[in-house]
Amino acid sequence: MAAQFQIISTPTSDTPGTTLILQTITRNYVFGNHAEGTQRAITQTGQRLTKVQDFFMTGKTEWSNVGGLIGMVLTLADSATTRYETAMESYRKGSTGKKKGTEPVRPKLNLYGPPNLNHLLGTCRRFIFRKGVPLHTTEYKDVAPKRSDEGHILPSWQDSVIQVWALAIAPEPKTSDGKTEHGLDAERKMYDTYQNTFEDHRAQGSESAEDREIRYGHIRTALVKQMFDSTWSMDTLVEQHISKVQMPTAMFVRNPHTNKVESYTGPLPGGTEPLPDVTVLTRTPWPGAIVTALPPTRPASEAVSYIVRTHPARGKFDVKRAIALGVKPGPNFSQLTAGESVENAKGETITPDMVIGPDRPGQGVAILDVPSLEYLESLILREELQSSHVMTGIQACIWLLGPGLSGHPTLQKFMDSLRQVQHVISSVDDCPNRLAMDSVAAQTIRLEQIDADRYRLPFHDNTTLPQNSLVGRGPRKEAPLKNAIIAERGMAFRLMPNFGILKDTVTPLVNVPNVQKETSPEVIELAKAAREGIELDKGALEAWKQLVGRPDTEITTLGTGSASPSKYRNVSATLVRVPGIGNYLFDCGENTIGQLQRVFSPDELIDVLQNLRVIWISHLHADHHLGTASVIKAWYNVKHNSIPASTPPSIPSMSTCASIYGLSVISHEAMLKWLKEYSSIEDFGYSRIIPLQILPVRSGSDTGSILTLTPAPSRKASETEYTLKREDYQHVLGLSDIQACRVSHCHGAMAVSMTFPEPSALSSDNRTSGPLKVSYSGDCRPSMAFARIGHNSTLLIHEATFDDELQGDALAKKHSTTSEALDIGARMDAKAVVLTHFSQRYQKIPVLQTEDAGADEDVLPNAPGTENMVEDEGEDIDDPTADNMDITPANAGGGALPSAKLPPHPQHEQVERVVKVRSKDMKVAVAFDYMRVKLGDIAQLEKFNPALSKLLVADEVEEADREGSEINGNGKKTSGDDGEGGKKKKKSKRNN
């Protein structure tokens, strides 16, 4: 059976870990680090995860190793479910005939790795909900290997294709910290006394520490099952008197005239108004919603490595020998190959061993992950690496080394003792920081040809070692390793039928001159015309700039895609840098830290991180927040040298001690709880942040938003102990005001407006344009509440997930179209709008046509989508019963509830699309990844739209040529989604 490993990633800014895929005829397997950017790297290489259900994680359970796991599992669960449903549909249709096919096997996913893997998944219960995709985890601890009766070390795992030996290594234990142990014991007592909601897993009498951990493991496993293989449904409603309803929950009543279920809108339990004597319908809460806490844990020290080997392959069938023995070709050959004996023409029995050669031994590799020097000695002393039974057939050792380890004498000595195997090194000391996302790099090179002031070649370095990056800074401590080769992206290792290293599969470096030559001359001419137009309109552009507060504010669009990362767009993140005040990050999707490292040089990035003041997370869909932990960790390292604070933040002393912490994370309570829970797995800097829950503005109230420290210092804390005073906003946040409102997208989704202090009279930026006000939509339908809190915004950053022609999709998935986003900008009287969060790999560039709505008009009468606008924060907000931002009627069976009737899906027309801008002073920018633009220069960007449109159509044609699709006049693919077997795929179920 053919089998080969291929290196998907080596350590770079985009791909901080080393990932390999083992490809076989029947199944594929993922080994190595599952860091942020892994899924995107796999997409970039053209590999597909459809044959993968087993993931083997190396190293420790830290975000740098597992940060890409969550997004990858969600994507794979969705695609596996879609394939299964399609297969089942075909099976049901086929089963009505005479011949029945084989019923499809329900998909499942298996994760293998270090301790705390299940705990990590459990922390994600507030934003993961899947049905019908069981996920099983196996955690390996530093224990002696199991042996057979013959004394051989048994594999930790095997299937019909491979055998795997897991090597969990823990360094020598450090001196126990009595204070930490005491605190952990107190947490366990609190959990078992008050927080454990699993009736089947209560503490029973006197329980040993080992039994307690086993019970805690069962709790985590049960929770993960609820997250991925739930039987709960939204349309299961329970009838009860309103006085017995436990809040918060959504309530419904049945209309006596129509018998339809409608939302209940009367007085609520716990309110000031008397309750009516009515019976209401409520949902049974999703079981994960009542899990308020996880069993206590601590960071696990184990780092996992693997030895992987194929099973022995049967020998070759000797045709000449069979014929010489009188075996007739045909079915007899097949029987012998299958291991059955046959008779020849003479009646002689011919056994398989007479015509089949000896078995070929299995071949494999060792994947050895060494985070730091303290793990090295323990690893090389492992019995498995000394065992001839295990190491037979192991042809290569692939070393995943932490910084500073390459060339260490102990490592070199061990490698010399294994001269019979090929050693391959992957580390920041040996692998340059090359561009790993070729497609977006090539796109940015072309964008730089069009507009060099806004787009620059992503930062990389093909030669310097060790890498000059956040991880690899510093000189090499040891001499380079001898008798080893350096891992490269695309390098392959053929295991069967015979071992070999394939270097012709290595991915070539991005060739900048060649990419530039491929750019159409017409695009270059249009870009030249744009620059000439800017020069001609210099006076008007400067006049508009005078209307803008703090025009030197820089906007960097780090991720402009939606749902999941693609080759051309990463997921949501926008950085706003306000000179003299600080830096503000609006959403922080997976691998935002990688995007930052491509936009900024290492020295500039350090300055960006040191001055990072606020991270705003709009909602808990994975594409908006899975990069938060790594950004905080990088900030923690740069700002505080990774030294934790000795005491938690305190609101009463915040005005004088904010610098001890310095970074505020503002979001929904669920996001802050996730950060708190994850901090028990890894010290990523949680002790140094200021976690602030924001309460949205309520309709008819003039109190505005309130910021509270979450969790509160204690249950009995007074309001002054956890509520941030407005007079402290500027000192703590750098803001004069912050307002948020609920928006229609998912449970807890919010939009925000941040107002910055006006420049002082002594400032060089002293102008009469008013304060800088930045409004950010997150994901949402157009919202009047957002338009109100964002009135007079200087800058609006608004999602434009769908083109206007896809308004039905926007309604169904609770997103906005381009025109709807611009309409909100006009209602705000915003000076500048940046459009982002595009659903397609390339967003069509609209032709913008400015119309003056009139100074006396309060309502824009004919704005597309006005009839669908959400008026107040209370409308169209998902059921809080779920307490999970991933639950929707689409994925949880909400058929019993009313749904909006969507307009028909229009056909694409091959005409130029004109979008009206109903505000004469509002300027619009369409964002791409890596765009850096000064606020005062946004008016220039519209000049480049014709060149961008031509570039995107040209790139679509080039991509289609590779994929065999056709392109229409709008630069749209006409062949539909490329599905399995040439069939059209069903739409993704991601709710992001």
Side-chain angles (χ1 to χ4, degrees):
M1 176 182 289
Q4 76 170 27
F5 268 104
Q6 185 164 29
I7 297 176
I8 298 300
S9 65
T10 59
T12 68
S13 295
D14 297 313
T15 55
T18 304
T19 307
L20 305 95
I21 287 185
L22 173 57
Q23 302 162 305
T24 72
I25 294 174
T26 57
R27 297 170 67 178
N28 293 346
Y29 311 80
V30 177
F31 283 85
N33 306 136
H34 292 52
E36 293 180 59
T38 299
Q39 180 180 348
R40 196 179 187 198
I42 292 172
T43 301
Q44 180 64 64
T45 62
Q47 298 280 355
R48 302 185 67 178
L49 290 172
T50 52
K51 291 170 65 176
V52 178
Q53 69 177 31
D54 297 294
F55 297 82
F56 295 85
M57 275 146 281
T58 64
K60 302 165 65 177
T61 301
E62 293 183 339
W63 201 256
S64 58
N65 287 332
V66 300
L69 175 67
I70 306 302
M72 194 155 47
V73 164
L74 289 175
T75 297
L76 195 55
D78 290 341
S79 62
T81 301
T82 299
R83 289 197 311 275
Y84 174 74
E85 290 174 351
T86 302
M88 280 299 297
E89 187 178 333
S90 299
Y91 170 75
R92 293 188 191 101
K93 290 179 180 178
S95 64
T96 58
K98 294 182 179 180
K99 186 177 181 181
K100 288 189 176 183
T102 303
E103 183 174 348
V105 178
R106 183 172 289 278
K108 64 178 181 178
L109 299 174
N110 303 305
L111 309 181
Y112 310 88
N116 276 336
L117 195 54
N118 242 351
H119 195 95
L120 166 69
L121 294 170
T123 66
C124 303
R125 66 191 179 279
R126 298 178 182 89
F127 56 89
I128 289 181
F129 177 83
R130 292 295 183 272
K131 301 182 73 171
V133 187
L135 186 146
H136 304 284
T137 61
T138 301
E139 297 180 354
Y140 297 114
K141 297 183 178 181
D142 186 9
V143 295
K146 295 182 179 180
R147 295 180 180 272
S148 67
D149 293 339
E150 294 79 20
H152 297 314
I153 299 175
L154 295 171
S156 308
W157 180 89
Q158 63 180 328
D159 62 5
S160 61
V161 182
I162 61 173
Q163 297 174 305
V164 178
W165 287 264
L167 285 63
I169 307 298
E172 289 295 324
K174 298 179 180 179
T175 305
S176 178
D177 183 349
K179 184 177 180 181
T180 301
E181 285 297 321
H182 178 75
L184 194 58
D185 285 340
E187 289 180 34
R188 290 168 182 147
K189 185 176 181 180
M190 172 69 74
Y191 176 79
D192 284 325
T193 305
Y194 302 107
Q195 299 171 328
N196 185 0
T197 57
F198 289 82
E199 293 294 336
D200 294 339
H201 302 294
R202 300 282 189 182
Q204 301 296 324
S206 59
E207 182 182 48
S208 68
E210 183 179 357
D211 288 341
R212 181 194 63 225
E213 291 307 314
I214 292 174
R215 177 169 59 86
Y216 283 176
H218 291 327
I219 291 173
R220 297 183 183 105
T221 298
L223 176 57
V224 171
K225 179 175 175 58
Q226 292 173 359
M227 293 165 58
F228 287 92
D229 194 23
S230 177
T231 57
W232 177 83
S233 178
M234 285 185 80
D235 56 12
T236 303
L237 299 178
V238 178
E239 191 173 43
Q240 58 184 320
H241 192 270
I242 190 170
S243 62
K244 297 182 178 180
V245 172
Q246 297 292 319
M247 297 298 288
T249 187
M251 293 185 287
F252 306 90
V253 292
R254 192 173 297 279
N255 188 310
H257 304 292
T258 64
N259 205 36
K260 290 184 178 180
V261 174
E262 300 174 348
S263 295
Y264 169 77
T265 57
L268 300 177
T272 57
E273 300 179 54
L275 294 176
D277 183 17
V278 296
T279 299
V280 295
L281 299 168
T282 61
R283 292 192 181 110
T284 301
W286 175 61
I290 61 176
V291 179
T292 59
L294 296 176
T297 190
R298 71 177 85 186
S301 60
E302 285 94 339
V304 177
S305 299
Y306 299 99
I307 298 172
V308 188
R309 191 176 67 198
T310 62
H311 286 286
R314 294 193 65 185
K316 293 183 65 175
F317 183 81
D318 192 333
V319 176
K320 291 182 180 180
R321 174 65 176 162
I323 293 174
L325 290 171
V327 179
K328 187 177 180 180
N332 284 345
F333 278 19
S334 299
Q335 286 179 265
L336 286 166
T337 303
E340 300 175 13
S341 299
V342 300
E343 287 188 358
N344 62 12
K346 298 178 181 180
E348 298 170 335
T349 298
I350 308 300
T351 59
D353 60 285
M354 298 169 67
V355 295
I356 295 177
D359 287 353
R360 288 168 290 170
Q363 307 287 319
V365 302
I367 304 169
L368 306 176
D369 193 312
V370 190
S372 60
L373 183 59
E374 59 186 345
Y375 288 85
L376 181 58
E377 191 71 34
S378 298
L379 175 64
I380 63 180
L381 292 176
R382 282 291 297 218
E383 294 179 71
E384 293 89 339
L385 292 173
Q386 317 298 326
S387 167
S388 59
H389 175 76
V390 174
M391 293 297 288
T392 296
I394 302 304
Q395 302 291 343
C397 288
I398 303 171
W399 294 90
L400 284 51
L401 301 177
L405 275 176
S406 182
H408 192 277
T410 303
L411 177 59
Q412 184 68 68
K413 182 179 179 181
F414 179 74
M415 289 171 54
D416 291 341
S417 71
L418 291 176
R419 290 186 178 276
Q420 73 276 17
V421 305
Q422 177 65 66
H423 294 278
V424 183
I425 308 300
S426 184
S427 76
V428 293
D429 296 326
D430 301 280
C431 301
N433 183 21
R434 294 169 176 167
L435 293 171
M437 306 301 174
D438 305 332
S439 297
V440 70
Q443 175 181 275
T444 308
I445 291 167
R446 296 187 178 106
L447 289 170
E448 185 180 27
Q449 289 179 277
I450 294 173
D451 185 3
D453 291 331
R454 258 65 67 171
Y455 295 95
R456 301 159 197 171
L457 179 66
F459 180 84
H460 65 288
D461 189 332
N462 291 335
T463 57
T464 301
L465 291 173
Q467 291 183 17
N468 183 20
S469 64
L470 286 176
V471 175
R473 295 173 70 87
R476 179 186 287 274
K477 296 180 181 179
E478 307 288 351
L481 288 165
K482 301 174 183 177
N483 304 318
I485 62 175
I486 305 306
E488 295 186 79
R489 185 165 58 105
M491 181 183 289
F493 307 87
R494 186 182 59 244
L495 302 184
M496 300 294 282
N498 47 59
F499 183 82
I501 298 178
L502 310 177
K503 293 187 178 181
D504 57 342
T505 59
V506 170
T507 306
L509 301 179
V510 175
N511 190 313
V512 176
N514 283 354
V515 173
Q516 292 171 333
K517 288 177 184 177
E518 292 170 357
T519 305
S520 163
E522 186 177 359
V523 171
I524 300 299
E525 286 302 313
L526 288 170
K528 181 181 178 182
R531 289 188 287 272
E532 291 172 351
I534 290 172
E535 191 62 31
L536 289 173
D537 288 352
K538 198 170 184 178
L541 293 171
E542 186 60 32
W544 179 84
K545 188 174 182 178
Q546 296 301 312
L547 302 175
V548 176
R550 297 187 183 273
D552 288 336
T553 296
E554 184 182 71
I555 302 99
T556 303
T557 50
L558 299 165
T560 59
S562 66
S564 60
S566 72
K567 290 195 292 185
Y568 296 90
R569 294 186 185 273
N570 200 47
V571 286
S572 297
T574 303
L575 179 70
V576 176
R577 303 174 71 188
V578 185
I581 295 182
N583 305 328
Y584 298 77
L585 189 56
F586 294 87
D587 277 334
C588 192
E590 180 185 327
N591 212 22
T592 294
I593 191 64
Q595 298 290 91
L596 285 165
Q597 291 182 88
R598 289 304 186 200
V599 173
F600 301 106
S601 68
D603 290 338
E604 191 175 8
L605 178 56
I606 288 175
D607 180 72
V608 168
L609 291 171
Q610 285 179 333
N611 291 288
L612 186 60
R613 300 196 68 169
V614 171
I615 298 177
W616 162 265
I617 303 298
S618 61
H619 63 291
L620 252 70
H621 277 162
D623 60 322
H624 287 257
H625 77 88
L626 281 182
T628 310
S630 54
V631 170
I632 293 174
K633 189 171 182 178
W635 165 84
Y636 180 47
N637 180 39
V638 167
K639 187 79 172 180
H640 297 289
N641 200 27
S642 298
I643 299 173
S646 57
T647 57
S650 168
I651 288 295
S653 60
M654 189 59 66
S655 60
T656 58
C657 66
S659 60
I660 297 175
Y661 309 98
L663 174 59
S664 298
V665 180
I666 307 177
S667 188
H668 185 276
E669 180 185 23
M671 175 65 194
L672 305 177
K673 285 182 176 179
W674 177 74
L675 290 173
K676 171 66 173 175
E677 285 188 346
Y678 179 71
S679 69
S680 65
I681 297 176
E682 175 188 6
D683 176 19
F684 67 97
Y686 180 81
S687 68
R688 291 286 188 176
I689 67 170
I690 307 171
L692 294 170
Q693 177 186 356
I694 189 165
L695 302 181
V697 173
R698 295 200 173 275
S699 179
S701 171
D702 59 359
T703 59
S705 292
I706 297 173
L707 294 171
T708 59
L709 194 64
T710 302
S714 68
R715 292 183 176 183
K716 298 180 180 180
S718 63
E719 185 175 327
T720 57
E721 292 181 77
Y722 60 84
T723 301
L724 186 64
K725 300 176 183 177
R726 290 187 178 275
E727 54 263 34
D728 291 335
Y729 279 13
Q730 186 167 342
H731 184 78
V732 177
L733 308 174
L735 304 174
S736 58
D737 193 24
I738 178 171
Q739 302 290 323
C741 66
R742 294 198 186 280
V743 289
S744 176
H745 180 64
C746 69
H747 172 59
M750 288 184 282
V752 69
S753 281
M754 296 184 186
T755 305
F756 294 82
E758 292 197 56
S760 65
L762 299 177
S763 170
S764 59
D765 190 21
N766 184 24
R767 53 181 72 204
T768 58
S769 51
L772 170 66
K773 185 173 184 178
V774 178
S775 296
Y776 177 73
S777 68
D779 287 2
C780 64
R781 293 291 301 140
S783 164
M784 280 301 297
F786 183 39
R788 284 193 289 270
I789 69 169
H791 185 61
N792 286 332
S793 286
T794 319
L795 170 67
L796 167 64
I797 305 167
H798 204 291
E799 69 123 295
T801 306
F802 294 104
D803 292 331
D804 289 357
E805 59 200 23
L806 301 176
Q807 190 178 22
D809 289 343
L811 280 163
K813 297 187 177 182
K814 297 185 180 181
H815 284 292
S816 297
T817 66
T818 304
S819 288
E820 288 171 338
L822 295 180
D823 177 53
I824 291 297
R827 291 172 185 273
M828 286 183 175
D829 197 20
K831 296 297 184 292
V833 178
V834 172
L835 300 177
T836 185
H837 197 270
F838 301 119
S839 67
Q840 302 166 15
R841 179 179 55 214
Y842 291 122
Q843 178 75 357
K844 289 187 295 184
I845 304 297
V847 176
L848 303 174
Q849 186 180 91
T850 301
E851 291 185 356
D852 188 358
D856 297 327
E857 294 186 34
D858 293 326
V859 179
L860 305 178
N862 300 314
T866 301
E867 70 279 5
N868 299 308
M869 187 172 293
V870 178
E871 288 294 330
D872 293 302
E873 73 278 358
E875 292 189 21
D876 200 27
I877 304 301
D878 282 7
D879 181 8
T881 304
D883 194 27
N884 183 305
M885 298 189 181
D886 200 34
I887 292 178
T888 68
N891 72 359
L897 302 180
S899 60
K901 186 176 181 181
L902 302 179
H905 199 303
Q907 298 294 319
H908 293 296
E909 297 182 3
Q910 298 186 24
V911 296
E912 192 174 63
R913 184 165 61 91
V914 177
V915 173
K916 295 180 179 180
V917 181
R918 292 174 168 83
S919 177
K920 65 182 180 66
D921 289 329
M922 188 172 77
K923 304 302 178 184
V924 181
V926 177
F928 293 86
D929 284 15
Y930 306 145
M931 181 183 78
R932 295 177 65 176
V933 59
K934 293 290 182 68
L935 180 55
D937 294 338
I938 284 180
Q940 300 178 15
L941 297 188
E942 293 176 14
K943 303 285 186 182
F944 293 98
N945 284 353
L948 292 174
S949 295
K950 182 60 65 175
L951 173 69
L952 299 190
V953 171
D955 280 356
E956 280 277 359
V957 171
E958 180 184 333
E959 186 76 14
D961 286 343
R962 289 194 290 267
E963 297 180 359
S965 305
E966 294 182 2
I967 298 294
N968 66 19
N970 285 334
K972 284 283 213 172
K973 289 185 182 180
T974 58
S975 61
D977 291 330
D978 185 20
E980 296 282 346
K983 294 181 180 180
K984 192 172 183 180
K985 279 172 139 181
K986 290 186 178 181
K987 291 184 178 179
S988 168
K989 295 187 178 183
R990 288 289 284 272
N991 306 313
N992 312 47

